Amino acid sequence: MQIIDFRSDTITKPTPAMRAAMAAAEVGDDVLGDDPTVIRLEELAARRVGKEVGLFVASGTMGNLVSLLAQCGRGDEVIVGDQAHTFYYEQGGMAALGGIQPRTLRNRPDGTLDLDEIVAAIRDPRNLHYPRTRLITVENTHNRCSGTPLTVEYMQALGKVAREHGLRIHLDGARLFNAAVALGVDVKALTADVDTLTFCLSKGLAAPVGSVVCGDRAFIAEARRSRKVVGGGMRQAGIIAAAGIVALEQMVDRLAEDHAHAAALAAGLAEVPGLQVDAVSVRTNILYFRITRPDLDAAQLVARLAARGVLMLDLDPRRARAVLNYHVTAEDVQAALAVVRAVMA
Ligand code: TLP
């Protein structure tokens, strides 16, 4: 049976060019600072996103965690969306390991936070009852909000609010390059207003492992310390960084294919009675759809699809998610739609 895997873009396997680069990678001890391939990846990443320095980390979760640990102390408050990966899916790492208090605001369906609500949530530093607000974190593209890209205009407006209140911004850019490709802008336009960010190499860009944290020199020095304490100091990490370099050099532009496939899948699903696609328009590679038939929940639907080789995730009781990725072709999308129609019938 042919398997069509929409569970995530994290399932992507390294390309032949990545495997060749990994096999040939020059390596050293990265904790001692002398792995040339890691250094090359970090420099390339920082240049691409317009920041001073990069830091290679094991995962997006680690990237967000060390970014927060490096910028916030115990009892500090971080303004974060209630649907943000950092809040929703990271085991409360900021609180568990950093004593950082998340101040959640409602994410709007497009993944943004209302700027007035942000301003209202900022604590008055003169009141000794309050924690100190340190940081705003946003996510681009926004995973749980239909993979929507936050726009350049929104990032600029957010940056203005943060500067006016002396706050820093951290961007969870796990799928930052999807956002840039979908919006047709240089990725730097989306990062200019944030202080720190992390993006993933191992999602749509198809590298096997890793994310890069980027920011200024002082921040990265702190983040490097935090990476070490969470056990993220990797030694001959150039082996995996080599694939990350190929990901950045060869895999960014093709994300547009995933976006086109996602739009086609969404259009097909929208026509199936009993299903309802969440977003008005699917802009990137993620889509969610709701099961409106009362006799079927998301877990049951996902199990029935899996039995026929179409893999998706039931991330909520009545909502399933499909993520387009490097291994799914336009023909696969049509084949999967035929399976969905058959199962729903
Ligand atoms: N997201 C995964 C799951 O954890 C849900 C997925 O399949 O989408 N930020 C965002 C916005 C993410 O979507 C993810 C992974 C991460 C951070 C964490 O990255 P990893 O998995 O590398 O720790």
Side-chain angles (χ1 to χ4, degrees), residues 25-205:
E26 263 188 81
V27 295
D29 187 327
D30 183 51
V31 174
L32 301 181
D34 53 31
D35 186 303
T37 309
V38 171
I39 292 169
R40 204 147 59 83
L41 170 64
E42 290 175 344
E43 286 175 355
L44 172 64
R47 215 168 37 245
R48 283 294 283 269
V49 303
K51 299 294 170 201
E52 249 173 40
V53 197
L55 178 72
F56 186 44
V57 294
S59 65
T61 302
M62 184 183 282
N64 286 328
L65 178 63
V66 303
S67 297
L68 267 53
L69 291 178
Q71 299 180 86
C72 305
R74 301 186 71 77
D76 284 347
E77 204 163 67
V78 166
I79 294 176
V80 57
D82 62 358
Q83 300 300 309
H85 197 279
T86 11
F87 173 70
Y88 208 98
Y89 284 131
E90 296 180 11
Q91 284 194 15
M94 70 172 99
L97 302 177
I100 301 161
Q101 171 159 291
R103 174 78 183 270
T104 51
L105 300 181
R106 183 182 51 95
N107 272 116
R108 296 185 289 201
D110 66 358
T112 58
L113 301 173
D114 182 283
L115 298 181
D116 292 335
E117 287 182 22
I118 291 179
V119 171
I122 297 169
R123 306 286 196 158
D124 180 349
R126 292 165 304 188
N127 188 328
L128 61 80
H129 298 84
Y130 288 159
R132 292 187 173 110
T133 310
R134 286 277 182 227
L135 191 73
I136 303 166
T137 114
V138 288
E139 186 174 313
N140 199 7
T141 63
H142 202 293
N143 181 344
R144 284 185 58 83
C145 296
S146 304
T148 310
L150 308 191
T151 62
V152 174
E153 295 69 34
Y154 180 77
M155 295 308 295
Q156 288 171 343
L158 181 72
K160 188 161 173 282
V161 166
R163 284 189 296 275
E164 279 167 8
H165 293 85
L167 299 180
R168 292 168 68 86
I169 302 177
H170 172 69
L171 169 64
D172 175 356
R175 298 183 180 83
L176 179 61
F177 288 93
N178 293 84
V181 167
L183 297 167
V185 299
D186 187 300
V187 72
K188 289 197 266 302
L190 295 169
T191 57
D193 288 275
V194 310
D195 300 279
T196 69
L197 67 105
T198 176
F199 70 83
C200 293
L201 298 161
S202 66
K203 296 197 164 61
L205 302 182

